[in-house]
Amino acid sequence: MIKGNVEGVRDSILAELGNIYDMNVEKGRLVSPEIVALISDITRLINREISVSIDRKGRILEVAIGDSNSVELPILDLSSKKLSGVKVIHTHPSGYSKLSMIDISALLKLKLDAILAVGVGETDITGVNIGYCKVQNQELTYEELENLPLEKAINVDYLEKVQEIETELRKNDVVEDESEYAILVGVDSDESLDELEELAKACEVNVSGRILQRIKRIDNVFYIGSGKVRELAILRQIKNANLIIFDEELSGVQIKNLEAVTGCKVIDRTILILEIFARRARTREARIQVELAQLKYRSQRLIGLGSIMSRTGGGIGTKGPGEKKLEIDRRRIKDDIHALRQELEKIKKIRALQRTKRESSGIPRVSLVGYTNVGKSTLRNLLVDLYPSDNTVKKEAVFAENMLFATLDATTRTMILPDKRIAALTDTVGFVRKLPHDLVEAFKSTLEEVVFSDLLVHLVDASSDTVVEQIKSVENVLSELGAGDKPTILALNKCDVATEEQISKLKELYSGMEIVEISAKNEVNIDILMEKVIEHLPRTMKKVEFLIPYSESSVNAYLHRNTIIEEESYEADGTKFIATISDEVYNRYNKFIVQEF
C-alpha cells in the first residue's frame, strides 16, 4: 500500500504502476484483487483515473493515468465478426461505479470483451460495474451489471460470455447505431422545451423523453435536485438514451456530477446551439466566429465536460476545437482566442471596406432580422428573384429550410426596387431565446450589417404561439447590438395560416409600429411590403434630363431598367430622357446630363 502525499511518493507511484506489467490475471477471470487494490490506492492519492488493459491470456497490455473524465486505451485491430480480445479495468475517483458515456462509447466502438468501472471511495471500494457488448435487433448495444461486490466481480468467468457475443456477431450483419437519443430536461416551460426539441432535431438527435421540474433554487451540484437526478438516471435507462440535454446553461462541475450519476453524456442548451452553428457555418468568417464562441465557453468549464473532451466520445458537442485533444489548458485556449480574434479583425476590416463602398454609392441598405426559422431566407430569395439587379451576377440562393439556424452567414445582394432605386438586401443569422452571449459577441462583426442598415424588416411567424416572446428576444439582441432604435417594419409572415385572432392580437400589441401581413412562401402581399420599404428608405433620387447619342444606344436600355422615365423623345443629336435617377446612375452617366431640376 502506498502512503504519503503526492509529491513525496510520485516516484513510488510510477514504480508501482510499472510493476503492474509484471502481474498476470488468471485466465478466464476479469481481474485480480491485487491489481484492483493497487489502482484504487493510487486513485485515492492523485484523484485520477487509472486504467489497465488486459488480453484474454491475462497479460497486461497497457497501464495509463487519465484525468477524472477520460480513459486511455490501446490501439486495437477491430473486426466486425469478433470482439477485440481486450478488457479494460479502470477506476472512478468520484466513487460512482456506474459506466459513464465514455465507458460505453469505448466498449462499443472498440468492441471490448468487457469494461469494468471500480468506484473508489475515501476508504474502500463502493462497487464494481461490468459492461458487455450485446447484439439486439442486428444492432450492437450493451448491457451493464451494476453494483457488484468486488469479490463477485473478480470471480466472474467472462470467456463464456465473450463466446456467446462473438457467436451472435458471426450470425448477424451487425449495424452499429451511431444515432443519439436524448432526454430533455427543463426548468422553464413546456414551450421552452418544445424549442429545445427543435434545436435537437436540427442536430439530428432523436428525443426519447423529457422532464420538466419547477425549481425555486438552482442546485450547485446537479442544477436540479438530487432526487430528480436519480429519476432522470432511471428514465435514461428505460428509454435507452445516450444523451441528456439541459435547457439551461450548466457549469463544468454540474456536467461532471450529472454524468457520474446518470452514466450518460450531458450537455446544455449552449453546447447544442454551438454544435448547430459549427455544423452550419459555411464561410471562413462564420467558422472562426463559432470556434471563438466554443473556446470562450469551454475555457470557463475545463472542470467537467468529460464526454465532450474525450477522444472516445462522439456526437453532439464534439465538433470543433474540443475534439482535437483530451486536455486544453487555459493558456492554450487564451492564445487560440487571441489568434482567432486577430483573424476576425482582418475580415471585419474587409467587410467595413465593402460597406464603405456601398455607402459611397448611396445605395440604401435593408436588413432582414427575426427569430430563427421564421422565413427570412425564403423572403430574401423571393425578393432577389422578383426584383433582380442586372449588375449583380446571379448567385446561388441562400439555403432555406424548415429548421432552426438554417442560415448563419450574412449575405448581401442588390435588388431593383419598384421605384427603380437599387437597394442592398442583407439576410442575417436568426435569433433565439437564451442565445449564448459568447455567440452574440462572436457574431457582432456579421451583425454589424444590422447596425449600419437604413431599415430593418423584422420578420415574425404570426402563426406561432410564442410569437410575442420571440419578438422580445429579437428586440433584446437588437438593443445589445445598439440597433434598437432603427426604423423597422414588422412583417407578419405566414399570415395565410395564422388565425384572425393571432393577427389581431399582434396588431393591438404593436400598434405603434408599421405592420404588414405577408406570406413569403405563397407570395402574399409582397408588393405591399415593398411599398412600405420604399416609403421608409431615405430618398437620394434626382430628376434630370439626359441626351443620349444614338451611338450609345446601350445606355437607353440601362436607363429604362434602372430609372423612372417620365418623358422620352427623339432629337437630332440623340434620345432625350427626363427621368428620376439614383446617385449610382447619376455618377455613372452624368456626362450625358443636360440639366438638373
Side-chain angles (χ1 to χ4, degrees):
M1 180 142 180
I2 301 171
K3 296 181 180 179
N5 57 46
V6 176
E7 289 77 9
V9 297
R10 182 171 295 144
D11 291 341
S12 298
I13 289 172
L14 293 174
E16 290 291 344
L17 285 175
N19 290 338
I20 295 177
Y21 284 101
D22 298 326
M23 297 180 178
N24 279 297
V25 177
E26 184 180 336
K27 187 177 180 180
R29 289 193 176 184
L30 281 170
V31 70
S32 69
E34 293 79 15
I35 290 176
V36 173
L38 181 56
I39 63 177
S40 298
D41 285 345
I42 297 174
T43 293
R44 288 191 190 94
L45 280 174
I46 64 176
N47 195 34
R48 301 281 292 276
E49 286 193 7
I50 309 296
S51 68
V52 181
S53 305
I54 308 168
D55 67 12
R56 290 181 190 173
K57 293 181 180 180
R59 294 177 301 192
I60 309 301
L61 300 178
E62 185 169 339
V63 181
I65 301 176
D67 59 19
S68 60
N69 300 292
S70 62
V71 182
E72 289 290 337
L73 298 167
I75 298 173
L76 303 173
D77 183 21
L78 303 179
S79 167
S80 61
K81 295 299 182 182
K82 63 180 182 179
L83 299 176
S84 64
V86 173
K87 59 201 171 198
V88 172
I89 292 85
H90 69 290
T91 55
H92 281 186
S94 62
Y96 293 104
S97 60
K98 191 169 187 60
L99 296 179
S100 69
M101 196 60 212
I102 301 173
D103 301 335
I104 295 166
S105 178
L107 174 68
L108 299 178
K109 289 179 182 296
L110 301 176
K111 291 190 173 71
L112 298 175
D113 285 1
I115 189 164
L116 277 75
V118 180
V120 179
E122 291 184 6
T123 57
D124 55 9
I125 292 171
T126 59
V128 179
N129 282 31
I130 304 175
Y132 293 108
C133 290
K134 177 182 176 183
V135 178
Q136 184 174 330
N137 299 325
Q138 291 189 312
E139 288 185 0
L140 189 66
T141 180
Y142 74 99
E143 60 178 311
E144 182 175 357
L145 306 181
E146 299 187 24
N147 294 320
L148 299 177
L150 179 59
E151 296 77 15
K152 186 174 182 180
I154 288 172
N155 291 308
V156 167
D157 185 348
Y158 77 102
L159 288 180
E160 185 178 339
K161 184 72 175 176
V162 167
Q163 290 170 359
E164 177 187 325
I165 297 166
E166 290 189 334
T167 299
E168 288 297 314
L169 285 172
R170 285 191 291 270
K171 288 195 305 187
N172 294 278
D173 291 324
V174 175
V175 178
E176 295 186 33
D177 188 3
E178 299 289 338
S179 302
E180 291 190 283
Y181 298 88
I183 303 294
L184 308 183
V185 183
V187 297
D188 189 354
S189 63
D190 281 315
E191 290 77 14
S192 188
L193 273 183
D194 289 340
E195 183 172 274
L196 186 66
E197 185 167 347
E198 288 299 314
L199 289 169
K201 288 178 180 176
C203 247
E204 300 175 353
V205 173
N206 305 291
V207 175
S208 302
R210 45 199 279 173
I211 288 179
L212 179 65
Q213 184 191 30
R214 307 286 185 182
I215 58 174
K216 296 180 181 178
R217 181 177 61 86
I218 295 173
D219 184 85
N220 292 330
V221 179
F222 297 115
Y223 198 94
I224 56 177
S226 56
K228 206 68 175 180
V229 174
R230 287 191 290 272
E231 179 185 327
L232 177 60
I234 293 170
L235 179 63
R236 198 277 299 177
Q237 287 184 308
I238 292 172
K239 297 292 187 179
N240 199 28
N242 54 12
L243 177 65
I244 294 172
I245 307 175
F246 271 69
D247 194 33
E248 307 297 327
E249 194 168 290
L250 301 173
S251 69
V253 171
Q254 287 167 337
I255 291 175
K256 176 183 174 182
N257 293 334
L258 286 163
E259 287 188 347
V261 175
T262 61
C264 180
K265 181 166 64 179
V266 177
I267 66 173
D268 60 18
R269 182 187 182 94
T270 299
I271 293 176
L272 187 62
I273 292 175
L274 286 171
E275 174 73 18
I276 297 172
F277 273 52
R279 292 186 179 196
R280 302 280 168 75
R282 296 180 181 179
T283 65
R284 175 62 181 157
E285 181 180 15
R287 287 195 291 269
I288 291 172
Q289 289 165 330
V290 172
E291 189 168 356
L292 182 60
Q294 286 177 318
L295 287 172
K296 289 174 69 177
Y297 176 84
R298 289 172 182 176
S299 67
Q300 303 160 10
R301 292 167 175 79
L302 288 182
I303 301 174
L305 294 180
S307 298
I308 294 170
M309 302 298 280
S310 168
R311 72 174 175 85
T312 57
I316 299 300
T318 60
K319 188 175 180 63
E323 68 182 353
K324 295 176 184 174
K325 53 188 83 67
L326 279 172
E327 293 178 291
I328 305 178
D329 59 37
R330 296 185 191 277
R331 182 175 296 277
R332 177 64 185 275
I333 289 181
K334 187 177 178 181
D335 291 343
D336 289 346
I337 288 174
H338 179 68
L340 289 172
R341 279 179 170 161
Q342 283 187 319
E343 194 166 350
L344 205 56
E345 194 62 32
K346 293 177 184 176
I347 297 174
K348 184 178 179 181
K349 289 178 180 177
I350 295 172
R351 186 181 288 276
L353 183 62
Q354 293 170 338
R355 189 185 302 116
T356 301
K357 288 182 179 180
R358 286 200 299 270
E359 288 174 352
S360 63
S361 70
I363 297 176
R365 291 150 296 175
V366 181
S367 286
L368 301 178
V369 298
Y371 209 72
T372 183
N373 201 32
V374 295
K376 294 189 299 301
S377 295
T378 301
L379 179 60
R380 178 265 186 207
N381 290 339
L382 175 64
L383 292 178
V384 171
D385 285 342
L386 290 178
Y387 306 98
S389 171
D390 289 343
N391 59 355
T392 298
V393 178
K394 188 172 180 62
K395 299 186 180 182
E396 183 181 357
V398 168
F399 177 62
E401 193 59 61
N402 183 27
M403 63 174 68
L404 302 189
F405 298 119
T407 302
L408 288 189
D409 304 300
T411 57
T412 300
R413 299 287 182 268
T414 57
M415 61 178 184
I416 302 294
L417 299 175
D419 65 357
K420 300 302 177 72
R421 280 186 290 170
I422 295 178
L425 179 67
T426 299
D427 182 21
T428 61
V429 60
F431 304 141
V432 70
R433 277 181 293 183
K434 305 175 188 175
L435 188 65
H437 178 74
D438 287 341
L439 264 182
V440 176
E441 282 295 313
F443 273 77
K444 269 190 175 177
S445 61
T446 301
L447 295 171
E448 278 181 352
E449 294 297 328
V450 173
V451 179
F452 291 99
S453 292
D454 297 303
L455 176 67
L456 304 181
V457 176
H458 182 174
L459 200 65
V460 303
D461 179 358
S463 66
S464 172
D465 294 330
T466 59
V467 61
V468 175
E469 289 79 6
Q470 292 178 8
I471 291 173
K472 288 178 181 176
S473 296
V474 173
E475 288 177 340
N476 288 338
V477 177
L478 289 175
S479 296
E480 189 174 346
L481 292 169
D485 57 350
K486 287 283 178 184
T488 304
I489 297 172
L490 188 65
L492 308 184
N493 195 26
K494 306 182 185 180
C495 68
D496 47 345
V497 294
T499 64
E500 289 185 12
E501 184 181 354
Q502 287 174 316
I503 296 290
S504 299
K505 181 182 177 182
L506 288 171
K507 286 185 173 180
E508 182 180 344
L509 286 173
Y510 300 97
S511 56
M513 295 183 69
E514 188 76 71
I515 297 177
V516 182
E517 301 172 36
I518 69 165
S519 171
K521 183 178 180 181
N522 296 314
E523 301 185 25
V524 176
N525 292 342
I526 302 301
D527 54 339
I528 297 176
L529 172 64
M530 294 309 294
E531 287 174 9
K532 297 294 183 184
V533 168
I534 292 169
E535 185 181 321
H536 286 81
L537 282 177
R539 288 192 170 273
T540 57
M541 304 291 278
K542 297 180 175 67
K543 186 175 181 181
V544 300
E545 179 183 331
F546 284 107
L547 182 62
I548 310 298
Y550 290 118
S551 60
E552 301 282 352
S553 59
S554 60
V555 177
N556 296 1
Y558 179 88
L559 294 178
H560 275 285
R561 290 194 305 269
N562 297 288
T563 69
I564 301 172
I565 305 294
E566 296 184 15
E567 291 183 26
E568 179 180 1
S569 60
Y570 299 98
E571 310 293 331
D573 298 330
T575 307
K576 185 177 81 171
F577 291 98
I578 295 179
T580 303
I581 63 173
S582 66
D583 285 342
E584 183 188 21
V585 177
Y586 181 89
N587 294 331
R588 187 169 185 173
Y589 293 117
N590 57 36
K591 64 182 179 179
F592 299 122
I593 295 175
V594 177
Q595 64 172 317
E596 299 182 26
F597 299 97

